[in-house]
């Protein structure tokens, strides 16, 4: 609580500011100043925002700071309240968290990385159909467009194949129904499954005209974000078609198996629906990915090398 009293004298005015602490103690008297108003503007702004954001320890800090009175001209004082309040609010605000996060977010630093500017279902060259982006050379990305001739940047056939995931197929209900099925499965995704995506996820865009779905997933530690996209295409029959998919991490050169386990979980769920078929990502199909993400030299966890007939679903729990 804050109370302000203004006393007038013939030649000067003074302002007394009293702050009530949570334990009931009152403190802080502002000294008056000739031909001006002593308002302790910075201290008042800090106290108000401290109460609003409820940052632990801020009240004690303010109690110490308010003993040092600051005399300011009236106009400068008003500006100090406005700008000082904005600065404190920005610094004290908790980090953003997805609503389906598995554990409450503490006010810790996060490293989401910059959202790539090449995401979306767009023609990758003149005259081409809208498509997803491919992948680079790092083993933290899978894409159905990894081998596409439309990609503006091409890599060796072996490199592109190492990131290529076959489109998922549907044979009943048409593209509209397939897009609905896809959204249903994604919304039912469980953050924390197989030790990944504990920071939750959020559907950023669901475009029924393009039949394009864009989802952000987040790790429980450090707040690393991965971008996952789906593009539904109908075939000539009108009943069937394919889903082109891309799942990629924004940072680093490896992902500890996160993208593979995420896609395999969605594949498993879709395969339970009528008319859907989608291959799991296996160790046999992606040996370079497994080898890179099993390297223990730079991290304490990673996927386990499984028998070639097993899928990446069986990989060990990782730290993300």
């Amino acid at each position: 609580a804050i109370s302000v009293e203004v006393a007038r004298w013939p030649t000067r005015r003074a302002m007394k500011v009293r702050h009530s602490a949570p334990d009931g103690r009152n403190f802080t008297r502002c000294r008056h100043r000739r031909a001006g108003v002593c308002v302790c503007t910075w201290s008042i702004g800090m106290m108000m925002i401290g109460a609003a954001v409820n940052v632990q320890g801020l009240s004690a800090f303010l109690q110490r700071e308010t003993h040092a009175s600051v005399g300011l001209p009236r106009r400068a004082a008003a500006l100090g309240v406005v700008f000082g309040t904005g600065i404190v609010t920005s610094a004290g605000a908790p980090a953003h968290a997805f609503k389906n996060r598995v554990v409450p977010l503490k006010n810790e630093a996060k490293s989401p990385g910059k959202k790539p500017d090449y995401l979306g279902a767009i023609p990758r060259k003149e005259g081409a159909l809208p498509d997803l982006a491919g992948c680079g050379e790092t083993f933290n990305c899978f894409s159905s467009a990894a081998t596409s001739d439309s990609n503006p940047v091409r890599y060796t056939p072996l490199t592109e194949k190492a990131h290529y995931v076959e489109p998922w197929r549907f044979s009943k209900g048409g593209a509209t129904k397939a897009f609905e099925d896809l959204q249903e499965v994604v919304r039912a995704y469980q953050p924390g499954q197989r030790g990944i995506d504990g920071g939750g996820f959020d559907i950023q865009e669901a475009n029924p005209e393009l039949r394009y779905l864009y989802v952000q997933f987040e790790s429980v530690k450090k707040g690393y974000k991965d971008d996952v996209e789906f593009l539904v295409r109908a075939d000539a029959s009108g009943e069937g078609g394919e889903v082109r998919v891309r799942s990629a991490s924004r940072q680093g050169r490896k992902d500890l198996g996160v993208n593979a386990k995420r896609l395999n979980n969605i594949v498993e769920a879709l395969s339970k629906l009528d008319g859907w078929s989608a291959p799991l990502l296996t160790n046999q199909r992606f040996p370079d990915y497994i080898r890179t993400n099993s390297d223990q030299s730079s991290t304490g966890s990673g996927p386990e090398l499984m028998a070639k007939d097993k899928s990446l679903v069986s990989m060990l729990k990782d730290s993300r």
Side-chain angles (χ1 to χ4, degrees):
I2 298 174
S3 62
V4 179
E5 302 172 11
V6 178
R8 296 182 180 272
W9 281 264
T11 59
R12 60 187 179 182
R13 290 178 295 177
M15 178 174 287
K16 300 177 182 179
V17 180
R18 181 166 297 170
H19 177 75
S20 298
D23 60 3
R25 293 179 296 109
N26 294 325
F27 53 87
T28 303
R29 168 176 288 185
C30 205
R31 299 174 185 270
H32 54 261
R33 178 177 177 179
R34 188 179 300 273
V37 179
C38 179
V39 294
C40 291
T41 305
W42 181 82
S43 299
I44 295 174
M46 289 287 284
M47 286 186 288
M48 294 175 66
I49 298 306
V53 301
N54 194 27
V55 179
Q56 187 176 8
L58 184 58
S59 178
F61 170 77
L62 293 174
Q63 182 175 347
R64 296 193 302 269
E65 291 300 309
T66 50
H67 287 294
S69 302
V70 181
L72 297 173
R74 185 182 309 176
R75 187 171 300 174
L79 291 174
V81 170
V82 174
F83 290 106
T85 297
I87 292 171
V88 174
T89 302
S90 175
H96 173 268
F98 292 141
K99 295 180 180 179
N100 49 15
R101 182 181 173 89
V102 295
V103 292
L105 177 68
K106 299 178 181 179
N107 200 25
E108 66 235 26
K110 298 173 74 173
S111 304
K114 181 181 178 182
K115 178 183 174 182
D117 56 9
Y118 48 76
L119 299 181
I122 58 177
R124 300 293 161 172
K125 69 177 182 180
E126 187 176 356
L129 292 173
D131 203 356
L132 306 179
C135 292
E137 297 178 295
T138 57
F139 289 99
N140 57 4
C141 174
F142 294 101
S143 176
S144 300
T147 60
S148 173
D149 292 335
S150 300
N151 288 329
V153 178
R154 300 301 303 273
Y155 300 91
T156 67
L158 286 177
T159 297
E160 292 182 347
K161 183 180 179 182
H163 298 87
Y164 174 73
V165 58
E166 294 85 351
W168 303 339
R169 302 289 307 178
F170 59 93
S171 59
K172 296 181 180 180
T176 299
K177 177 63 164 56
F179 189 60
E180 293 172 355
D181 287 348
L182 185 61
Q183 291 183 80
E184 178 183 346
V185 166
V186 170
R187 288 194 173 96
Y189 184 88
Q190 293 296 315
Q193 63 91 18
R194 299 182 178 104
I196 68 170
D197 298 330
F201 69 92
D202 183 67
I203 296 177
Q204 300 285 304
E205 182 179 353
N207 189 324
E209 295 182 2
L210 289 176
R211 293 186 287 271
Y212 167 77
L213 188 66
Y214 168 47
V215 191
Q216 289 181 359
F217 291 81
E218 186 173 280
S219 66
V220 71
K221 296 180 181 179
K222 304 297 184 182
Y224 299 122
K225 281 190 177 179
D226 294 348
D227 300 294
V228 183
E229 302 171 279
F230 308 92
L231 178 62
V232 179
R233 286 181 176 176
D235 61 19
S237 70
E239 282 291 305
E242 68 177 21
V243 176
R244 298 175 73 77
V245 58
R246 184 178 187 273
S247 183
S249 303
R250 294 182 181 180
Q251 304 177 77
R253 299 188 61 82
K254 59 177 70 176
D255 66 3
L256 303 179
V258 170
N259 287 287
K261 289 195 279 187
R262 179 187 302 122
L263 291 181
N264 276 346
N265 180 272
I266 297 173
V267 163
E268 285 183 314
L270 278 176
S271 297
K272 296 176 182 178
L273 303 179
D274 188 30
W276 281 90
S277 63
L280 290 169
L281 282 69
T282 64
N283 294 14
Q284 182 182 26
R285 172 65 182 81
F286 296 100
D288 293 334
Y289 175 84
I290 289 293
R291 187 178 305 109
T292 300
N293 284 287
S294 295
D295 180 9
Q296 302 295 314
S297 62
S298 60
T299 180
S301 60
E304 183 183 33
L305 287 170
M306 305 299 297
K308 62 182 180 181
D309 60 332
K310 297 290 184 67
S311 78
L312 294 175
V313 166
S314 303
M315 293 189 302
L316 290 176
K317 179 179 177 179
D318 58 56
S319 61
R320 294 187 66 196

